[in-house]
Amino acid sequence: MQSNLVMFPSAEAGKISIQTKERTFTKYERAEEQFIKLLVTEDLDNKLDVEPARASEFEQTLSWAISAAYQSDRSDQQAHRFLQRILYRINRLKLFWYDDLRHYTNERSPYLYSCRNQIEAAWQKWELAQIDVAALQKLDVKQALIERASADLDPPLSQDSRYIREEMTEVGYSHLLAIASFDGLVEGSRLSRILGGTANEVQCTLVRVLLEEYGNGRLSRKHSTFFAQMLTEFGMNTQPEGYFDLVPWEVLACGNHNFLTTERKRYFLHYNGALTYFEVAGPAAYRNYLAAAQRLRLSEAAMGYWELHIREDERHGRWMLDDVALPLAEKYPDQAWELVLGYDQEKLMGDRATTAVMRSIREAEQAALLT
């Protein structure tokens, strides 16, 4: 089996015609390749102490990218992409991929954690600046969550939703599957990281959500199995991360944000607010994808995942609101606004990711017309 840690597909991310940007993009690529080698270097931290130049090019590019992405008036999209890819490569070490055990040699490397923290500090400040936190702190949290969930359960069709339902081609649909496989083939994994601890009703509800995502322990019923079946129907790669290079940085950011909020228990309310939005809003998006598949007259295997998710996530959304978010708001009245922050931030980042995915789909469809 190919290494999930080191060897990602090497598809070109696109050519940049402007010379200065071409040099910048090449610089990011070189730095990422250097970082990949660092990830699997035996005794990494001690070797860097002896020979710090091993990481010098990467570190210079990392500092450059942080400034270009988060501290500049003109945000550099390639810098965002580089940073989210680096952050993901570190974060994914927190999950087990059933691959070569040597890939986890640097799982607890202080150097890798310092890189992660350097990116996260600047990135999270940039993300938080897009939210009116002071206004959230003044809300009636329970009412705010109820109103938001009601609005997001069945929202009016957006322009993108109509495009998916009425115009997206089979090429666009398969491109959507390729990007969505990044999460769809390992879904639920990050949720598992917040389940440990004392027993109570909230914890048990979260466990029920996870168990349903995992088919109650049966691989044939696990949600990722249904997603893999859709990929198989199109003759596509069913390996996790098989289409990593197609994933927009905006989608990677959503995953990395989940890693952060599940890694730090201080963000427990933040994460559960985010998961509430994700489960509440999911069925509306899945109905768009299902409508597109039905219009294209695809087989049951090519759309079964969406039907399953519409049924189960409608239930999960109710559980998350009624049995997780609202009880947590009562238990932590002084910090309850963090539930709304998590909810709103997940929606904001999700909308940004959707815009990026739709742009990628249209580009793929246009490219197909020209071939």
Side-chain angles (χ1 to χ4, degrees), residues 35-56:
F35 184 74
I36 290 170
K37 293 176 182 177
L38 293 174
L39 275 174
V40 292
T41 297
E42 193 74 31
D43 199 22
L44 172 64
D45 292 276
N46 286 331
K47 287 182 178 175
L48 288 179
D49 286 341
V50 174
E51 190 183 351
R54 277 175 179 257
S56 59

Side-chain angles (χ1 to χ4, degrees), residues 91-349:
N91 283 332
R92 70 186 300 284
L93 291 173
K94 299 167 187 174
L95 303 178
F96 189 64
W97 296 83
Y98 289 88
D99 54 354
D100 192 329
L101 297 178
R102 290 173 296 181
H103 293 162
Y104 303 92
T105 296
N106 295 307
E107 179 184 1
R108 303 187 73 179
S109 162
Y111 179 77
L112 295 185
Y113 273 37
S114 71
C115 294
R116 181 202 65 184
N117 294 342
Q118 188 179 348
I119 297 170
E120 284 182 347
W123 170 45
Q124 286 298 301
K125 183 178 180 181
W126 180 80
E127 292 284 9
L128 208 57
Q130 300 173 58
I131 300 282
D132 188 348
V133 173
L136 298 184
Q137 292 173 329
K138 299 174 183 176
L139 290 174
D140 178 331
V141 169
K142 294 178 72 172
Q143 186 63 29
L145 288 170
I146 291 169
E147 289 175 356
R148 281 163 167 74
S150 178
D152 293 325
L153 184 62
D154 190 20
L157 291 180
S158 66
Q159 183 177 351
D160 283 340
S161 295
R162 292 190 182 280
Y163 182 85
I164 291 170
R165 286 171 171 258
E166 300 169 8
E167 299 180 52
M168 187 171 68
T169 65
E170 191 167 318
V171 168
Y173 186 82
S174 61
H175 194 79
L176 169 68
L177 293 186
I179 295 175
S181 70
F182 171 71
D183 180 71
L185 292 177
V186 292
E187 67 171 335
S189 294
R190 291 182 294 268
L191 169 59
S192 66
R193 300 170 66 243
I194 69 164
L195 298 181
T198 190
N200 54 49
E201 291 296 333
V202 167
Q203 184 204 39
C204 289
T205 299
L206 292 170
V207 170
R208 282 159 55 205
V209 172
L210 180 73
L211 286 174
E212 290 206 351
E213 296 286 349
Y214 274 71
N216 289 301
R218 292 175 294 168
L219 181 60
S220 64
R221 302 301 301 171
K222 189 177 185 295
H223 289 188
S224 60
T225 299
F226 287 89
F227 201 102
Q229 288 172 355
M230 292 198 297
L231 295 172
T232 299
E233 190 72 3
F234 281 87
M236 297 172 66
N237 188 350
T238 60
Q239 289 297 312
E241 301 170 339
Y243 297 99
F244 182 72
D245 281 347
L246 291 181
V247 180
W249 72 260
E250 296 89 340
V251 175
L252 288 172
C254 292
N256 284 327
H257 193 73
N258 283 170
F259 273 117
L260 169 64
T261 53
T262 55
E263 174 75 6
R264 300 186 59 185
K265 300 306 176 284
R266 178 60 186 83
Y267 293 159
F268 187 78
L269 300 183
H270 195 145
Y271 174 75
N272 279 288
L275 186 58
T276 299
Y277 170 75
F278 187 84
E279 297 291 351
V280 165
Y286 304 142
R287 281 193 286 270
N288 293 333
Y289 307 150
L290 179 61
Q294 291 171 335
R295 173 177 54 80
L296 293 168
R297 298 186 178 182
L298 302 180
S299 70
E300 178 63 28
M303 68 177 85
Y305 176 90
W306 310 127
E307 293 179 308
L308 173 69
H309 259 59
I310 291 168
R311 291 195 308 270
E312 293 202 354
D313 281 7
E314 285 176 348
R315 181 169 62 253
H316 293 175
R318 291 193 299 271
W319 289 354
M320 286 303 304
L321 179 64
D322 296 339
D323 301 331
V324 175
L326 296 181
L328 285 174
E330 290 185 359
K331 184 173 180 61
Y332 298 98
D334 293 339
Q335 297 87 24
W337 63 271
E338 295 177 21
L339 289 158
V340 188
L341 171 62
Y343 189 104
D344 286 2
Q345 203 163 33
E346 183 76 7
K347 181 174 182 176
L348 177 65
M349 295 176 74

